[in-house]
Amino acid sequence: MKEAVLRLLKEHQPEYVSGEELCKVLDVTRTAVWKHIQTLREDGYDIDARPRVGYLLVGIPDRLYAEEICNGLTTEFIARQVFYFSSLSSTNDLAKKLSSNVVGVSNGSIVVAEEQTGGRGRLGRKWFSLKYKAICFSLILYPPVNPSEASQVTMVTAVALAIAIRKETGVRVGIKWPNDLLVGGKKLCGILTELGAEIDKINYLIVGAGININQEPGEFPEDVRDTATSLKIEMGVTVNRVKLLQAILIEFEQWYKIWLEQGFPKILTKWKELTVSLQCPVRINAVDRSWDGWAVDVDQDGALLLRLPDGQLQRVVAGDVSLRI
Ligand code: ATP
Ligand code: BTN
């Protein structure tokens, strides 16, 4: 019901809407309307109340509420169902639980959290996010492809994120193989794709992304202070997270459809245009060893082709390795 009150307030902006009208349209008492107004205020909405005039929505908080994400969102199936949390261990973990539920959640559903207390990267590494300063979300997908093709979704996501961030903010983000977005060599965003599958069938695919948005330099944990950046650091202004997330979801849907309908080569071409980790010297760190070489190309399966100092070409698959540029 508070959603309905909010919708009416938005529809009437910049005019006041009378308490009487709210009662009539929503078929509730004045006390009920007042309670919903109070709840909205507690959620951070700035609402002016004038005796005998009514209510005016003065300000919308910078929160990733479902109503805000969905407001004007033009996607067909991405984020049609939104699970919002003020705090959560990990959006990927919850997305996994939801997608394995007997009562299934729909393709494209999103889990979003203002803060993660157990945010994860690959190989069990930590992903840090300061409350209200980042965008952390996971999409639940059921792509009708073979499990061997699932890792391509990381590249689809990297392409969509890079394009949306460039369009929306003008910041020249580049993709670092296999799952990061960088600005000026510093990490802005990480992507974590996880899969639930049988030998020849994907049961669910979760693609999670963490994007640093409005952190100040001193707000990163010491471990990553020298290697991380945020859009605010790059641009010097605060970024509207809802608007950016909407742009990301729209872009993601487009590229995900291109991938399903036209195949991986289209994605790979765009990925190569946007990468900063090809035609440069790199170091690949695996658990027990590392290779220095020249990043030559990425093949049709998304594996990195590395020219070793002895001239041999080494094929490196994402998974258990990290890349240093
Ligand atoms: P990298 O190449 O960045 O070391 P990776 O991609 O090989 O990382 P991942 O497991 O994918 O390794 O990423 C997790 C790593 O990201 C963490 O070990 C940490 O160094 C870094 N990290 C964690 N939180 C953030 C953040 N908010 N911003 C930037 N970097 C972060
Ligand atoms: C990486 O750089 O290794 C990937 C980091 C991925 C972080 C995102 S934040 C949303 C989602 N939930 C998680 O626990 N991890 C991903």
Side-chain angles (χ1 to χ4, degrees), residues 121-123 125-128 176 179-180 187 212 220 224 228 321-324:
R122 296 177 314 142
L123 313 168
R125 294 190 191 118
K126 285 198 173 96
W127 182 260
F128 306 105
K176 189 190 96 172
N179 67 326
D180 295 343
K187 186 154 164 176
N212 300 324
F220 285 108
V224 300
V321 298
S322 288
L323 176 141
R324 292 274 166 281

Side-chain angles (χ1 to χ4, degrees), residues 70-88:
C70 295
N71 189 17
L73 186 71
T74 54
T75 53
E76 189 188 306
F77 64 93
I78 292 294
R80 290 287 113 206
Q81 209 174 355
V82 179
F83 298 89
Y84 169 87
F85 296 85
S86 159
S87 182
L88 192 65

